[in-house]
Amino acid sequence: MKDNGKVTIYDISKRLNVSAATVSRALNNNPKISSKTRELVFTTAKEMNYKQNRLAQALKSGKSKNVGVIVPYINRNFFSSIIRGIEEELGPHGYHVIICQTHEQMDTEMEQINTLLNTQVDGIFMSISKSTTNIDHFTKVLQEGKFLIFFDRKLDVPGVSSVVIDDFKAGYMSTAHLISQGCKRIAHFSGDLNLEIYKNRHDGYISALENHGLKPDPRYIFTTLSNVESGAAAARKMWELKEKPDAVFSASDYTALGAVQELKKQGVRIPEDFCISGFSNEPFTQYMELPMSSIDQTPLRMGQIAAQVFLEQVDSDQELSIEKKVVLSPELMVRKSSNRSLAELKVQ
Amino acid sequence: MKDNGKVTIYDISKRLNVSAATVSRALNNNPKISSKTRELVFTTAKEMNYKQNRLAQALKSGKSKNVGVIVPYINRNFFSSIIRGIEEELGPHGYHVIICQTHEQMDTEMEQINTLLNTQVDGIFMSISKSTTNIDHFTKVLQEGKFLIFFDRKLDVPGVSSVVIDDFKAGYMSTAHLISQGCKRIAHFSGDLNLEIYKNRHDGYISALENHGLKPDPRYIFTTLSNVESGAAAARKMWELKEKPDAVFSASDYTALGAVQELKKQGVRIPEDFCISGFSNEPFTQYMELPMSSIDQTPLRMGQIAAQVFLEQVDSDQELSIEKKVVLSPELMVRKSSNRSLAELKVQ
DNA sequence: TTGTATGCGTTATCAT
DNA sequence: ATGATAACGCATACAA
């Protein structure tokens, strides 16, 4: 039975001495068909091992039932969890998910968008790359009548929906928590302020300081890359200051980890002398020598909701795509790295 | 300029008063075309913002330039790293990667394969689910003339290529290492022996014991699920034995982690009293309170090589798909959890 | 209820 | 070097 997968509705129609249209109707549960022929078609279709060609169907209908997801790197826990959420929400609706990586490069981002459009995806989900400044490639997606949905890292583009967490609030919560632990000189490891998310975390940090009567000090703010080395380097610099900080709110778990490692080397006791709080709730944070406080961004949920927003747009066949902005609440996970009550209990 | 992405070669041909065939030839760099018209077509194509429709091209050519990747869960570091490897190797060749999850269910695995075939993917990469026993859905892929490539978790199916690590060797290396640390009663946390990988890790463990004059003891072998709770439970059971083991080779980092947590609770000193070694080199293993020894499976590389195998098969347009079996070497990462020389240094 | 014919956008074959 | 046409597999408007 080496059919090579080339069984078409024509093969079935010949075998049954009916027209291809009838077969097509039967297969699609079209009401205008006798139940006998429908049954007949179904059974022989199965018999002949017929497989519908989604390509042809897509070409005909203008809907490919494919969506693209573009992220910097797919093997980052945060992003792969979002993708999982999207897949699980969209799969049952017959969609396939095509994944693309930008490696944080705007030009590959543009390329990926182009090839996805060529593939006739019905929509694109994405987190913009760090180096993205231009928005022409986004408006192009809209022009071509495809849906575009940002998650986490977004840019304000008219007509584009987005699902993000409240990064300002996350920054505020983290900082306020550090203050509640008695910290007075709180530093901040920021990411690229070109990205809204880092800007918002930063602003939340500043706002929390001010609301608690602490004066923000620019020397306490370090721009870092989201990796261990960069965190260690920032910690070193930080420790050269005359008036050393007594806490840091890091916008990345990796930089926070680098800081922990560096400060420990220098003999700093955490959380007794120094409190630290990271961002993203990476799996490793809870298994560390010193379990680290962090912000959970609920990526699975973020993906699911992004998918739901997409489905809504698809269903409501509006000419104008409605713009929907969803903001999720972050969750602060307090762990030992910033929990002095815990530490004191142990000391006693 | 609301073109809605509907610019076709016909639109270009009309504008230029040439035939669509000419436009197609020009766009495809067909030699049989004058360079003037080629240039002309190119510039107007760009002008009109023409985008090739890959769907139509795929339908015509029978090649979709899409591949499917099926894994249990895409947000497990191991799998997402493999997917990254595949994407990075295949992307430059014009392929898109469609991802699917099985949630370890054979029936969804079968479903995913079917829908991928409907989508006319050119090939499927996959790691089988735990519950997979039947191979009919795999041979079906071959019958339809599509390439099938297993990575990590495979089954022996004629005509199917695979890329795996040498799990036997990994089990052997880990166990031999524990023996070299002076451990005599080495336990094993195994996974589902239905999966070849766990079977091989187990066999490597047994072989290492025997080659070093140690007698395998069935009471020292625990079947676990790959999660923290299961590891803790196994550790509890293990510690109820009269003659307690002095080491464990775990086939999963998560069960190993569960064991570490449980044993610490019971006051066991690691690695002094008990050595432990995990599997997969999950990111958290190196950041743990007690950095954990583990086996690196080089997933990125595994994905790249799987992709290369696919490309080879595609290029060599053999009628018969050649079966290629690649076995990669695992790397043992020795860390504190099983490193007594390190521990002794500290003790002194 | 069923058949006929057409088109989705491309490319390849055959002419010219 | 270029044009006309058919075909990939399917779904639909229109006829019957």
Side-chain angles (χ1 to χ4, degrees):
Chain A
M1 210 224 273
K2 177 148 194 174
D3 48 45
N4 214 27
K6 292 301 172 208
V7 186
T8 73
I9 51 175
Y10 276 89
D11 299 319
I12 300 179
S13 73
K14 268 181 235 159
R15 170 93 81 98
L16 258 42
N17 277 323
V18 295
S19 76
T22 302
V23 175
S24 171
R25 279 189 277 256
L27 257 20
N28 289 316
N29 286 318
N30 189 309
K32 302 186 163 302
I33 197 114
S34 81
S35 44
K36 302 121 199 198
T37 41
R38 197 204 320 275
E39 300 262 324
L40 199 59
V41 168
F42 264 94
T43 51
T44 50
K46 181 158 289 181
E47 237 179 76
M48 300 178 72
N49 192 21
Y50 167 77
K51 283 193 163 16
Q52 187 188 51
N53 186 327
R54 279 182 55 161
L55 241 43
Q57 194 187 20
L59 182 59
K60 184 75 175 75
S61 70
K63 261 101 188 59
S64 69
K65 286 278 196 171
N66 284 151
V67 298
V69 180
I70 306 177
V71 295
Y73 296 96
I74 82 150
N75 66 335
R76 286 221 224 133
N77 183 267
F78 174 65
F79 291 123
S80 63
S81 295
I82 289 177
I83 297 175
R84 171 171 170 182
I86 294 175
E87 198 280 331
E88 290 178 357
E89 197 72 21
L90 253 33
H93 290 264
Y95 285 90
H96 276 161
V97 176
I98 297 172
I99 47 113
C100 302
Q101 308 183 79
T102 64
H103 298 178
E104 302 282 12
Q105 302 299 318
M106 177 165 80
D107 49 351
T108 54
E109 179 178 288
M110 291 166 61
E111 254 185 67
Q112 301 286 23
I113 287 185
N114 273 327
T115 65
L116 282 179
L117 290 177
N118 291 353
T119 313
Q120 310 300 114
V121 291
D122 296 340
I124 296 179
F125 298 80
M126 67 181 301
S127 247
I128 66 168
S129 92
K130 266 184 204 166
S131 55
T132 298
T133 48
N134 201 305
I135 65 163
D136 293 353
H137 49 305
F138 301 138
T139 55
K140 207 191 296 179
V141 176
L142 264 22
Q143 270 171 217
E144 307 217 347
K146 310 294 185 189
F147 298 107
L148 180 57
I149 294 171
F150 289 134
F151 52 82
D152 196 50
R153 301 181 181 184
K154 72 183 181 66
L155 231 42
D156 273 319
V157 182
V160 180
S161 293
S162 62
V163 181
V164 299
I165 64 155
D166 188 336
D167 283 289
F168 178 93
K169 186 173 166 190
Y172 192 101
M173 282 165 69
S174 301
T175 309
H177 160 67
L178 293 171
I179 295 170
S180 80
Q181 298 299 304
C183 303
K184 303 281 188 205
R185 297 179 305 283
I186 300 172
H188 175 42
F189 290 175
S190 172
D192 193 328
L193 291 182
N194 174 40
L195 287 180
E196 249 184 36
I197 51 170
Y198 292 122
K199 177 78 166 60
N200 290 339
R201 293 173 198 178
H202 166 273
D203 290 352
Y205 155 80
I206 297 287
S207 174
L209 289 182
E210 289 173 341
N211 279 3
H212 290 81
L214 297 174
K215 220 183 88 207
D217 185 334
R219 287 169 309 167
Y220 283 178
I221 297 177
F222 300 83
T223 300
T224 57
L225 268 43
S226 181
N227 63 48
V228 180
E229 299 72 36
S230 178
R236 261 192 303 279
K237 264 195 202 163
M238 180 175 75
W239 224 240
E240 287 167 5
L241 292 173
K242 262 180 252 170
E243 200 169 17
K244 296 181 177 30
D246 55 9
V248 65
F249 158 55
S250 170
S252 148
D253 279 335
Y254 289 97
T255 50
L257 174 62
V260 166
Q261 293 176 344
E262 178 64 26
L263 292 177
K264 279 189 147 191
K265 257 190 225 163
Q266 310 226 11
V268 180
R269 294 179 310 161
I270 301 172
E272 293 84 350
D273 303 333
F274 193 92
C275 286
I276 193 159
S277 151
F279 213 104
S280 283
N281 201 24
E282 289 282 340
F284 72 80
T285 54
Q286 57 185 307
Y287 305 134
M288 285 170 61
E289 175 163 357
L290 196 82
M292 194 166 70
S293 299
S294 194
I295 290 286
D296 187 21
Q297 299 167 287
T298 63
L300 209 72
R301 194 152 159 266
M302 196 181 276
Q304 290 164 349
I305 293 188
Q308 287 164 12
V309 169
F310 168 77
L311 289 174
E312 276 174 34
Q313 321 239 69
V314 170
D315 287 345
S316 82
D317 42 11
Q318 297 271 13
E319 184 56 40
L320 260 294
S321 62
I322 24 109
E323 189 179 311
K324 186 153 182 177
K325 307 279 189 189
V326 179
V327 179
L328 303 176
S329 252
E331 278 178 46
L332 175 62
M333 317 295 289
V334 176
R335 301 201 182 94
K336 194 177 167 189
S337 72
S338 71
N339 194 337
R340 284 181 168 166
S341 53
L342 241 181
E344 277 156 25
L345 279 178
K346 262 203 173 167
V347 169
Q348 286 176 347
Chain B
M1 210 228 270
K2 177 148 194 177
D3 49 43
N4 214 25
K6 292 301 171 208
V7 185
T8 74
I9 52 174
Y10 274 89
D11 299 319
I12 300 179
S13 74
K14 269 180 234 157
R15 170 95 80 99
L16 257 43
N17 277 324
V18 297
S19 77
T22 301
V23 176
S24 173
R25 278 190 278 257
L27 256 20
N28 289 317
N29 286 318
N30 187 310
K32 301 189 163 301
I33 197 113
S34 80
S35 44
K36 303 123 198 197
T37 42
R38 195 201 323 273
E39 301 261 323
L40 200 57
V41 168
F42 263 94
T43 50
T44 51
K46 180 157 291 181
E47 238 180 77
M48 300 177 71
N49 191 22
Y50 166 77
K51 284 192 162 16
Q52 188 186 50
N53 186 326
R54 279 182 55 162
L55 240 43
Q57 195 187 20
L59 181 61
K60 187 76 176 70
S61 69
K63 260 102 188 61
S64 69
K65 286 279 196 169
N66 284 150
V67 299
V69 180
I70 305 178
V71 294
Y73 296 96
I74 83 151
N75 66 336
R76 285 221 225 131
N77 183 266
F78 175 64
F79 291 123
S80 63
S81 296
I82 289 178
I83 297 175
R84 172 172 170 181
I86 293 175
E87 198 280 331
E88 289 177 356
E89 197 73 20
L90 252 36
H93 291 264
Y95 285 91
H96 275 162
V97 176
I98 296 172
I99 47 112
C100 302
Q101 309 184 78
T102 64
H103 298 180
E104 303 282 12
Q105 302 299 318
M106 178 166 80
D107 51 348
T108 53
E109 178 178 290
M110 291 166 60
E111 254 185 68
Q112 301 287 21
I113 287 185
N114 273 327
T115 64
L116 282 179
L117 290 177
N118 290 354
T119 313
Q120 311 300 114
V121 292
D122 295 340
I124 295 179
F125 298 80
M126 67 181 301
S127 246
I128 65 167
S129 92
K130 266 184 204 167
S131 55
T132 298
T133 49
N134 200 305
I135 67 164
D136 293 353
H137 49 305
F138 301 139
T139 55
K140 206 190 297 179
V141 177
L142 264 23
Q143 270 171 216
E144 307 217 348
K146 310 295 184 188
F147 298 107
L148 180 56
I149 294 172
F150 288 135
F151 53 82
D152 196 48
R153 301 179 179 185
K154 72 180 179 67
L155 232 38
D156 273 320
V157 182
V160 180
S161 293
S162 62
V163 182
V164 300
I165 65 156
D166 189 336
D167 283 290
F168 179 93
K169 186 172 167 191
Y172 192 102
M173 283 166 69
S174 301
T175 310
H177 159 68
L178 293 171
I179 295 171
S180 81
Q181 298 299 303
C183 303
K184 302 282 185 206
R185 298 179 304 285
I186 300 172
H188 176 42
F189 290 177
S190 172
D192 192 329
L193 291 181
N194 174 41
L195 287 180
E196 249 185 37
I197 51 169
Y198 292 123
K199 178 76 167 62
N200 290 338
R201 291 172 200 178
H202 166 272
D203 291 353
Y205 155 78
I206 297 288
S207 174
L209 289 182
E210 289 173 342
N211 279 3
H212 290 81
L214 298 174
K215 220 184 86 206
D217 185 334
R219 289 169 307 167
Y220 283 0
I221 297 177
F222 301 83
T223 301
T224 57
L225 267 45
S226 182
N227 62 49
V228 179
E229 298 72 36
S230 177
R236 262 192 302 278
K237 266 196 203 164
M238 180 176 75
W239 223 241
E240 288 167 4
L241 292 173
K242 265 181 249 171
E243 201 171 17
K244 297 181 176 28
D246 56 8
V248 65
F249 158 55
S250 170
S252 147
D253 279 335
Y254 289 97
T255 50
L257 174 62
V260 166
Q261 293 177 345
E262 178 63 26
L263 293 176
K264 279 189 147 190
K265 257 189 224 163
Q266 311 228 10
V268 180
R269 293 179 311 160
I270 302 173
E272 292 83 349
D273 304 332
F274 192 92
C275 286
I276 193 157
S277 150
F279 213 105
S280 285
N281 201 24
E282 289 282 340
F284 73 79
T285 54
Q286 58 185 304
Y287 305 133
M288 283 169 62
E289 174 163 359
L290 196 82
M292 194 166 69
S293 299
S294 194
I295 291 286
D296 188 21
Q297 300 166 286
T298 63
L300 209 72
R301 197 155 154 262
M302 197 180 278
Q304 290 164 348
I305 292 186
Q308 287 163 13
V309 169
F310 167 78
L311 289 174
E312 276 175 34
Q313 320 240 66
V314 171
D315 287 345
S316 83
D317 42 11
Q318 297 271 11
E319 184 56 41
L320 260 291
S321 63
I322 24 109
E323 190 180 309
K324 187 154 185 178
K325 307 278 188 190
V326 179
V327 179
L328 302 177
S329 253
E331 278 177 48
L332 175 63
M333 316 295 288
V334 176
R335 303 201 180 95
K336 194 177 168 190
S337 72
S338 71
N339 194 337
R340 284 180 168 165
S341 53
L342 241 181
E344 276 155 26
L345 279 177
K346 261 203 172 166
V347 169
Q348 285 175 348

